[in-house]
């Protein structure tokens, strides 16, 4: 499986939370909305890594998995959206989470958050798009191949990361991305995993409907009148489904009308707009500002290929 995040010891002390993220990514959106709901929202710093910034040497040193988001806070680097949510819930809860804690519903909230965290959003999205979705990984592979070769050439001057060479850190990332691409494809051995993942997708809808129905009033969120960490995970979920397939969203709204009314209501909040404000216009601006379409066009049409790895690296 792809690596999951951890809590790492930082090389430097970060007095206020600093979130490194790509706002459009679903995991980043979860962490971003959790931070927006927390008591440290106004003091926190945010760094938008852009389309491939997570693969830089600087980012790799902070988070060797090179995933987003990751949060620097005090003497730690938290490299997983689920762990970031837990940290903020425990250390800097906002009004909604404080209410959940005081009402004894922490376990119920945690269970729902874990349900969403267990769903493989990336595999679901790519499998919905089909095998053409592999083109989305071309900029990632181009950057990673370039950086691993650079790391190999500068091996003597680059300090190790968690006891591993920088070259090894990048090779592990490339292997993980290749595995992800395979598991989201139409390959026969990926079918069982995708079927299991679709089951996880449906379970989220069922449980969210139960939570909303239990509130007893039409204008409540998942755990009452205030937004909580649970909403910070569910809002990006719904937004991603809408982005990938409005037909699937409409179908599920037909089955769960209470979730439809929730979605209409929650989008009016400023907190949810920290998620929904990063859609297709944001992606277009991000791509154009980095000239990514022009840079990648030769790779998309097959005129150029990623810099080849050495035989030793491939092994």
């Amino acid at each position: 499986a792809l690596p999951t995040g951890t809590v790492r010891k930082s090389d430097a002390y970060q007095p206020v939370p600093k979130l490194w993220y790509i706002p459009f990514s679903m995991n980043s959106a979860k962490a971003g909305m959790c931070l927006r709901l927390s008591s440290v929202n106004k003091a926190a710093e945010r760094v938008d890594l852009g389309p491939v910034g997570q693969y830089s040497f600087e980012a790799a040193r902070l988070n060797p998995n090179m995933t987003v988001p990751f949060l620097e806070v005090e003497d730690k680097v938290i490299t997983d959206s689920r762990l970031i949510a837990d940290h903020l819930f425990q250390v800097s809860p906002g009004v909604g989470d404080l209410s959940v804690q005081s009402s004894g519903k922490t376990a119920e909230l945690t269970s729902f958050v874990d349900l969403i965290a267990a769903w493989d959003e990336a595999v679901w999205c790519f499998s919905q798009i089909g095998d053409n979705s592999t083109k989305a990984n071309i900029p990632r592979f181009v950057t990673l191949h370039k950086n691993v070769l650079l790391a190999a050439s500068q091996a003597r001057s680059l300090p190790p990361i968690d006891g591993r060479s920088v070259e090894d850190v990048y090779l592990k990332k490339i292997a993980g991305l290749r595995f992800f691409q395979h598991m989201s494809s139409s390959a026969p051995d990926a079918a069982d995993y995708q079927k299991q993942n679709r089951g996880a997708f449906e379970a989220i809808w069922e449980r969210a409907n139960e939570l909303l129905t239990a509130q007893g009033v039409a204008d409540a969120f998942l755990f009452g009148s205030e937004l909580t960490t649970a909403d910070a995970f569910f809002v990006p979920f719904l937004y991603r489904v809408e982005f990938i397939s409005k037909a699937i969203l409409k179908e599920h709204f037909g089955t769960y009308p209470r979730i439809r009314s929730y979605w209409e209501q929650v989008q009016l909040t400023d907190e949810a707009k920290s998620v929904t404000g990063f859609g297709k216009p944001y992606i277009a601006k991000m791509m154009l500002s980095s000239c990514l379409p022009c840079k990648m066009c030769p790779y998309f049409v097959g005129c150029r290929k990623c810099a080849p790895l050495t035989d030793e690296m491939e092994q």
Side-chain angles (χ1 to χ4, degrees):
L2 291 174
T4 54
T6 59
V7 180
R8 306 180 64 246
K9 182 75 174 178
S10 178
D11 294 333
Y13 188 84
Q14 177 66 31
V16 298
K18 184 176 184 179
L19 182 67
W20 300 69
Y21 72 147
I22 301 172
F24 173 71
S25 97
M26 180 173 162
N27 284 325
S28 289
K30 295 174 192 172
M33 188 166 170
C34 283
L35 188 59
R36 180 69 176 76
L37 292 172
S38 75
S39 62
V40 292
N41 170 52
K42 291 184 178 180
E45 299 177 27
R46 294 163 175 84
V47 179
D48 185 341
L49 286 161
V52 291
Q54 71 196 83
Y55 307 125
S56 69
F57 283 1
E58 179 185 18
R61 191 155 297 281
L62 287 167
N63 176 16
N65 287 340
M66 286 178 268
T67 52
V68 288
F70 52 95
L71 181 75
E72 288 185 89
V73 55
E74 298 177 348
D75 61 345
K76 299 179 287 293
V77 181
I78 308 173
T79 65
D80 185 278
S81 60
R82 178 65 190 86
L83 296 175
I84 291 171
D86 186 62
H87 170 83
L88 294 171
F89 183 86
Q90 297 294 338
V91 178
S92 308
V95 174
D97 285 337
L98 284 171
S99 176
V100 167
Q101 293 170 5
S102 64
S103 62
K105 294 183 178 180
T106 296
E108 196 174 4
L109 179 145
T110 300
S111 175
F112 180 71
V113 168
D114 285 342
L115 193 64
I116 294 182
W119 175 61
D120 194 328
E121 168 260 341
V123 165
W124 182 85
C125 291
F126 274 52
S127 62
Q128 291 296 321
I129 298 169
D131 288 342
N132 283 334
S133 63
T134 57
K135 291 182 178 179
N137 283 325
I138 290 176
R140 300 182 177 108
F141 279 121
V142 168
T143 304
L144 287 166
H145 279 225
K146 171 187 168 186
N147 285 355
V148 73
L149 293 168
L150 183 60
S153 70
Q154 298 179 359
R156 292 184 179 181
S157 61
L158 295 174
I161 302 173
D162 292 350
R164 292 183 291 152
S165 70
V166 176
E167 177 185 340
D168 284 346
V169 167
Y170 276 94
L171 288 175
K172 183 177 180 180
K173 182 63 180 180
I174 291 170
L177 188 56
R178 288 179 181 179
F179 178 77
F180 158 73
Q181 185 160 282
H182 177 77
M183 294 305 290
S184 57
S185 72
S186 58
D189 60 342
D192 286 345
Y193 180 73
Q194 292 179 23
K195 181 179 179 180
Q196 177 185 354
N197 199 47
R198 288 193 295 272
F201 176 81
E202 298 299 337
I204 294 168
W205 287 92
E206 292 173 11
R207 183 56 182 148
N209 186 62
E210 291 172 355
L211 289 171
L212 289 168
T213 302
Q215 296 304 315
V217 292
D219 60 349
F221 299 120
L222 287 167
F223 281 86
S225 61
E226 299 288 346
L227 292 166
T228 67
T229 295
D231 299 285
F233 270 57
F234 193 45
V235 167
F237 170 83
L238 291 174
Y239 190 52
R240 185 47 45 96
V241 176
E242 180 181 69
F243 185 88
I244 294 297
S245 175
K246 286 184 171 60
I248 292 176
L249 188 74
K250 182 179 180 180
E251 175 190 346
H252 283 73
F253 280 166
T255 304
Y256 304 108
R258 178 63 184 89
I259 297 179
R260 177 197 293 274
S261 62
Y262 166 89
W263 184 230
E264 292 170 350
Q265 176 195 358
V266 77
Q267 288 184 86
L268 300 176
T269 67
D270 289 339
E271 292 83 359
K273 288 174 184 175
S274 70
V275 175
T276 61
F278 295 95
K280 291 180 180 178
Y282 164 80
I283 294 172
K285 181 179 179 181
M286 177 178 67
M287 295 297 184
L288 291 173
S289 65
S290 61
C291 298
L292 198 62
C294 295
K295 292 176 182 176
M296 291 298 111
C297 185
Y299 297 94
F300 289 144
V301 299
C303 297
R304 295 187 65 183
K305 297 184 181 299
C306 292
L309 305 182
T310 66
D311 290 344
E312 184 179 0
M313 288 177 177
E314 288 289 352
Q315 293 174 1

